[in-house]
Amino acid sequence: AAHPEALAMISMTAPLADAWSLGDNARLALAIPLGFAFGFALERAGLGSARKLVGQFLLTDLTVFKVMFSAIVTAMLGVFWLARLGLLELPLVYVPETFLLPQLVGGLIFGVGFAVGGLCPGTACVALASGRGDGLAACSGIFCGVLVAGLGLGSASRFYESTARGTLTLPVLMELPYGTVVFLVVLLAFAGFAAAERIERRPQA
């Protein structure tokens, strides 16, 4: 039988499964091909290579920025229009709560690890599946980090739950209609892609 917590998470992150009346096991099975498709897309984009990802920090190869921003905009537009067409119940989409200070610290640790290791968790798994040794090293480090964090979570729970800000979204923070924010993000994406192309075309020292 499917684990109740896993089903609850899938229901929040993929509420279309509820709209399509998929069974519990079908919803879990859907995650497998989606995961393979995501990994395949990352590999085809070259994001299983630490050298390519490090180019992001050296401003010589902004593939990571372009791929990830494209994914964000695609998902945003998909959610927006599916909700407008009545095919998706927007309130069912899970939005994590904001804990300002812990997430800033976590983002800093993540960024340093990304810069030093050249891989993030997703691309580390792709690199590992591709047979790369740096992928194995990164995944081993991720596993050890998760284990240490899990064991120490009790003593750090006060910090972990500090500076709670509830569920925040750009429309709420900017006090603008949802559609307006979507339009502004799309404009920002076009500007970002144009800037990335100019940066990549500049002569290298």
Side-chain angles (χ1 to χ4, degrees), residues 50-145:
R51 292 180 181 272
K52 196 171 190 66
L53 272 69
V54 168
Q56 177 77 20
F57 301 101
L58 300 177
L59 297 180
T60 57
D61 188 335
L62 297 178
T63 300
V64 175
F65 169 81
K66 290 185 284 188
V67 169
M68 290 305 182
F69 211 163
S70 297
I72 290 170
V73 170
T74 301
M76 178 190 67
L77 290 173
V79 169
F80 175 75
W81 286 111
L82 286 171
R84 281 298 181 94
L85 294 172
L87 299 175
L88 175 68
E89 293 185 47
L90 199 56
L92 292 179
V93 178
Y94 176 65
V95 179
E97 292 186 46
T98 298
F99 297 90
L100 197 57
L101 184 57
Q103 289 169 351
L104 284 174
V105 172
L108 178 61
I109 295 172
F110 177 90
V112 171
F114 194 169
V116 173
L119 295 165
C120 69
T123 54
C125 292
V126 171
L128 175 61
S130 302
R132 293 185 170 94
D134 53 0
L136 175 61
C139 286
S140 299
I142 291 169
F143 175 80
C144 291

